[in-house]
């Protein structure tokens, strides 16, 4: 027994010694590897610094891609009275229900900062400039649309939630516009000193020269939006416009536009052979009637002939076969008349062709029309208003030529038609009032199923074309006799940023966040 106990003690001590040795060896090994631990456990396929091109793609898509389905797309064109609708009951936007705006675009601003930071850490200086230019352009684009929608908004303190600033102050609209214009000027210089960059989903394909031109074109669009504020010293509207217009760094052909090309992976928003929303959208008199008056063949690319007219013996080439509705008429009346095939639907290409036309948010055509208006207003002295007007219209018509003539109802737009366009009512008028209305109408044509918000904003600025108002059908709750002037602020602002929200509403609208109140821009 005594010998057994001794053997057990010996083995136990031997095991303890072995265990201690293993522990000591492991400690030494870990100590020697401590300096390399982070490297060993790093994933080379997951870099710590984001790739700027990937961030850039997301930033650009956030401002160019339409964020909604077919119904939302049609609704966006119903508010500016391009189309009416006959399905599922009244569409609020058709009957002047505007609702609240959105601060959602602010969530893109931190991504812009990350894109710029990653570019500074990973790419050469000229390319850094281009990414920073994209960032300033995108910020100006997002906050321009926010202020156009609602009025005063946060600008200086926007998008800084990560720093703890979750309740930003609202800048006055005058300050917001000054910052937008300053950011665009900075972006233009960055692109001038930039280089080709990766991650650009637009047709510009990362070309800094094209981005520079688009930036200047956007600045002209912003400045024309400020036509009622041309005397405000801080904005210096006329001088800024003149300097940019004379720079030569502008969009220079109908082939150059800022936007997106639709594809079989990224369908046109209304594409679907069985889409009930697209198929029941009917053309408005507000666009059909003036196109008939001008003998404008874009009508044949925008609309279908009314089926009742075709069965009645008219040919699809006959302008009389195209009939618009009064979008302010009672919904039940419109629905019954639509069932009777009285009105023209939007062209079938919008439903059947996934890539029917690009999304074009800044175009050479509209740019030239904006310059034409500036010439009429006396903001610039070079060239003639007629020359700019005709160049803009020709460019708009030329861009429609890229649409398949299959959808032209045997009335295609070609070079011969374009050269003879400016006769009769399309010829440039003699009086200032008539000239401005011609220019505004052509801008309205260009934005058909493109940017409904901007067409509405242009109506607010100039009251043309004359949107129909029917008090019996209007859904403008606080005043059925007018078109609303703005979106109200998001309800979340009253809850989570109440002090700054209330201060802004009090400053602008006498304490009442009403859609019929006039923002500084319109006063």
């Amino acid at each position: 027994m005594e010998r057994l106990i001794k053997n057990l003690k010996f083995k136990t001590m031997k095991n303890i010694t072995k265990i201690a040795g293993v522990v000591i060896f492991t400690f030494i090994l870990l100590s020697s590897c401590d300096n390399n631990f982070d490297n060993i456990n790093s994933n080379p396929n997951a870099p710590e610094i984001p790739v700027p091109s990937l961030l850039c793609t997301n930033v650009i898509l956030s401002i160019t891609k339409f964020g909604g389905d077919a119904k939302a797309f049609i609704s966006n064109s119903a508010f500016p009275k391009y189309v009416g609708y006959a399905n599922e009951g009244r569409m609020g936007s058709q009957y002047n229900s505007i609702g609240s705006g959105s601060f959602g675009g602010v969530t893109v601003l931190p991504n812009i900062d990350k894109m710029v930071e990653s570019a500074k850490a990973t790419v050469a200086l000229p390319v850094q400039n281009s990414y920073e230019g994209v960032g300033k352009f995108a910020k100006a684009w997002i906050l321009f649309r926010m202020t156009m929608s609602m009025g005063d908004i946060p600008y200086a303190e926007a998008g800084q939630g990560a720093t703890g600033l979750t309740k930003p102050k609202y800048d006055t609209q005058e300050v917001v516009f000054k910052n937008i214009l300053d950011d665009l000027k900075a972006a233009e210089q960055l692109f001038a000193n930039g280089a080709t960059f990766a991650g650009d989903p637009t047709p510009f394909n990362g070309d800094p020269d094209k981005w520079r031109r688009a930036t200047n074109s956007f600045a002209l669009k912003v400045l024309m939006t400020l036509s009622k504020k041309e005397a405000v010293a801080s904005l210096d509207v006329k001088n800024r416009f003149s300097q940019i217009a004379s720079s030569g760094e502008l969009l220079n052909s109908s082939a150059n536009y800022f936007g997106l090309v639709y594809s079989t992976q990224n369908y046109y928003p209304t594409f679907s052979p069985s889409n009930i929303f697209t198929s029941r959208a009917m053309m408005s008199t507000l666009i059909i009637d003036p196109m008939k008056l001008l003998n404008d063949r874009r009508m044949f690319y925008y609309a279908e002939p009314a089926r009742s007219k075709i069965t009645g013996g008219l040919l699809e080439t006959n302008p009389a076969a195209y009939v618009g509705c009064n979008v302010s008429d009672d919904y039940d009346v419109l629905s019954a008349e639509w069932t009777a095939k009285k009105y023209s639907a939007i062209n079938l290409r919008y439903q059947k062709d996934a890539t029917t036309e690009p999304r074009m948010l800044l175009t050479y055509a509209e740019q030239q029309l904006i310059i034409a208006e500036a010439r009429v207003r006396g903001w610039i002295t070079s060239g003639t208003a007629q020359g700019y007007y005709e160049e803009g219209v020709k460019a708009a018509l030329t861009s429609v030529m890229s649409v398949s003539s299959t959808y032209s109802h045997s009335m295609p737009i070609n070079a011969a038609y374009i050269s003879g366009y400016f006769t009769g009512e399309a010829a440039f008028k003699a009086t200032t009032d008539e000239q401005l209305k011609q220019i505004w109408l052509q801008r309205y044509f260009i934005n058909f199923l493109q940017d409904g918000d901007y067409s509405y904003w242009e109506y607010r600025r100039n009251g043309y074309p004359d949107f129909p108002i029917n008090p019996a059908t209007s859904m403008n709750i606080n005043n059925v006799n007018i078109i609303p002037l703005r979106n109200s602020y998001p309800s979340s602002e009253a809850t989570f940023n109440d002090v700054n929200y209330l201060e802004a509403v009090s400053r602008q609208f006498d304490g009442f966040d009403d859609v019929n109140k006039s923002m500084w821009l319109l006063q």
Side-chain angles (χ1 to χ4, degrees):
M1 177 64 69
E2 184 177 346
R3 182 180 295 174
L4 178 61
I5 292 173
K6 287 181 178 180
N7 286 337
L8 289 172
K9 286 182 177 180
F10 175 77
K11 290 180 178 181
T12 300
M13 290 298 295
K14 188 175 182 180
N15 289 337
I16 290 173
T17 301
K18 287 182 179 179
I19 292 171
V22 170
V23 170
I24 292 170
F25 176 77
T26 301
F27 176 77
I28 293 171
L29 180 63
L30 290 174
S31 297
S32 66
C33 295
D34 183 63
N35 292 333
N36 298 320
F37 185 80
D38 289 338
N39 293 333
I40 292 171
N41 287 274
S42 296
N43 181 357
N45 295 318
E48 295 178 7
I49 300 175
V51 178
S53 61
L54 298 178
L55 293 169
C56 180
T57 300
N58 290 332
V59 166
I60 294 173
L61 287 176
S62 73
I63 62 175
T64 55
K65 189 173 183 179
F66 181 78
D69 59 12
K71 186 174 183 179
F73 192 72
I74 295 298
S75 177
N76 183 255
S77 289
F79 199 86
K81 317 307 177 187
Y82 285 118
V83 297
Y85 189 63
N87 191 56
E88 298 185 332
R90 292 195 296 173
M91 177 176 280
S93 60
Q94 179 180 337
Y95 293 103
N96 307 329
S97 176
I98 193 169
S100 61
S102 172
F103 278 12
V106 171
T107 61
V108 179
L109 302 186
N111 293 334
I112 291 173
D113 293 338
K114 291 177 183 176
M115 175 186 69
V116 173
E117 290 169 6
S118 66
K120 289 180 177 179
T122 61
V123 298
L125 183 60
V127 184
Q128 290 178 30
N129 289 336
S130 294
Y131 283 119
E132 190 172 355
V134 170
K136 288 191 176 296
F137 178 96
K139 180 181 179 182
W141 185 277
I142 290 165
L143 296 178
F144 169 73
R145 298 186 77 88
M146 280 177 53
T147 193
M148 289 292 286
S149 169
M150 292 168 277
D152 292 1
I153 58 168
Y155 198 101
E157 297 184 354
Q160 298 185 35
T163 67
L165 207 169
T166 58
K167 297 182 178 182
K169 294 179 181 178
Y170 287 56
D171 294 299
T172 66
Q173 197 168 42
E174 179 181 347
V175 170
V176 170
F177 271 106
K178 184 179 185 305
N179 286 330
I180 289 169
L181 292 168
D182 289 346
D183 276 346
L184 289 176
K185 183 176 181 180
E188 187 268 341
Q189 285 300 302
L190 286 162
F191 287 128
N193 295 299
T196 302
F197 61 98
D200 178 10
T202 76
F204 295 165
N205 198 28
D207 184 339
D209 179 68
K210 291 179 180 178
W211 273 90
R212 182 186 185 186
R213 294 174 183 277
T215 300
N216 282 333
S217 185
F218 180 33
L220 293 184
K221 194 168 183 174
V222 173
L223 287 163
M224 187 52 70
T225 300
L226 290 162
S227 62
K228 292 182 183 295
K229 299 297 181 181
E230 64 177 83
V232 175
S234 65
L235 300 176
D236 197 20
V237 171
K238 290 190 288 186
N239 285 332
R240 281 187 190 249
F241 193 103
S242 178
Q243 290 168 7
I244 296 170
S246 63
S247 70
E249 301 295 337
L250 295 169
L251 296 175
N252 52 17
S253 81
S254 60
N256 292 331
Y257 62 87
F258 175 69
L260 284 180
V261 176
Y262 289 105
S263 67
T264 52
Q265 286 75 45
N266 176 31
Y267 296 154
Y268 191 83
T270 56
F271 168 73
S272 175
S274 60
N275 193 306
I276 59 174
F277 305 117
T278 307
S279 63
R280 296 181 71 86
M282 64 187 90
M283 300 293 294
S284 166
T285 56
L286 210 59
I287 189 166
I288 287 290
D289 289 356
M291 282 191 160
K292 286 182 183 179
L293 186 65
L294 296 172
N295 188 31
D296 195 311
R297 288 192 182 181
R298 280 175 288 187
M299 181 182 71
F300 298 100
Y301 289 82
Y302 287 1
E304 290 294 310
R307 299 313 304 169
S308 62
K309 295 294 185 180
I310 298 299
T311 57
L314 294 182
L315 298 177
E316 65 176 0
T317 56
N318 189 334
Y322 296 79
V323 182
C325 70
N326 182 336
V327 294
S328 69
D329 281 351
D330 181 79
Y331 170 79
D332 291 335
V333 172
L334 280 181
S335 184
E337 292 177 337
W338 170 258
T339 301
K341 306 184 188 306
K342 179 177 177 179
Y343 300 123
S344 292
I346 63 173
N347 195 290
L348 284 175
R349 68 187 175 95
Y350 296 110
Q351 182 178 347
K352 292 188 174 182
D353 188 347
T355 61
T356 184
E357 65 186 22
R359 188 166 201 222
M360 296 179 285
L361 297 169
L362 294 172
T363 65
Y364 174 69
E366 189 172 29
Q367 170 191 281
Q368 297 308 99
L369 291 169
I370 289 170
I371 296 174
E373 180 173 346
R375 185 66 180 88
V376 172
R377 292 182 177 277
W379 291 6
I380 60 174
T381 57
S382 61
T384 65
Q386 179 177 346
Y388 294 123
Y389 162 78
E390 292 185 357
E391 186 64 22
V393 175
K394 287 177 181 177
L397 294 169
T398 300
S399 70
V400 176
M401 288 173 63
S402 64
V403 174
S404 172
S405 60
T406 303
Y407 296 104
S408 70
H409 299 290
S410 301
M411 293 293 284
I413 293 173
N414 52 37
Y417 166 76
I418 293 174
S419 66
Y421 183 88
F422 302 100
T423 59
E425 286 298 315
F428 202 54
K429 302 292 186 180
T431 69
T432 297
D433 182 64
E434 289 176 313
Q435 291 170 355
L436 289 174
K437 287 180 177 178
Q438 282 184 296
I439 293 165
W440 296 335
L441 182 63
Q442 289 292 338
R443 290 185 68 185
Y444 186 72
F445 288 169
I446 287 172
N447 274 322
F448 177 72
L449 293 190
Q450 286 286 349
D451 190 352
D453 289 336
Y454 206 89
S455 290
Y456 156 61
W457 295 334
E458 277 294 283
Y459 165 79
R460 285 187 325 191
R461 179 175 76 95
N462 54 45
Y464 193 81
D466 189 12
F467 286 9
I469 300 172
N470 184 347
T473 62
S474 176
M475 297 173 67
N476 182 354
I477 297 173
N478 293 326
N479 190 339
V480 295
N481 297 301
I482 64 172
I483 302 292
L485 293 175
R486 58 180 289 272
N487 296 91
S488 58
Y489 289 112
S491 58
S492 58
E493 284 294 287
T495 303
F496 299 109
N497 193 18
D498 56 332
V499 173
N500 293 314
Y501 161 78
L502 291 172
E503 190 275 333
V505 171
S506 176
R507 179 174 66 225
Q508 300 171 91
F509 311 124
D510 300 320
F512 185 34
D513 189 9
D514 182 13
V515 298
N516 299 305
K517 294 286 187 177
S518 180
M519 60 180 68
W520 173 86
L521 174 71
L522 305 175
Q523 295 168 2

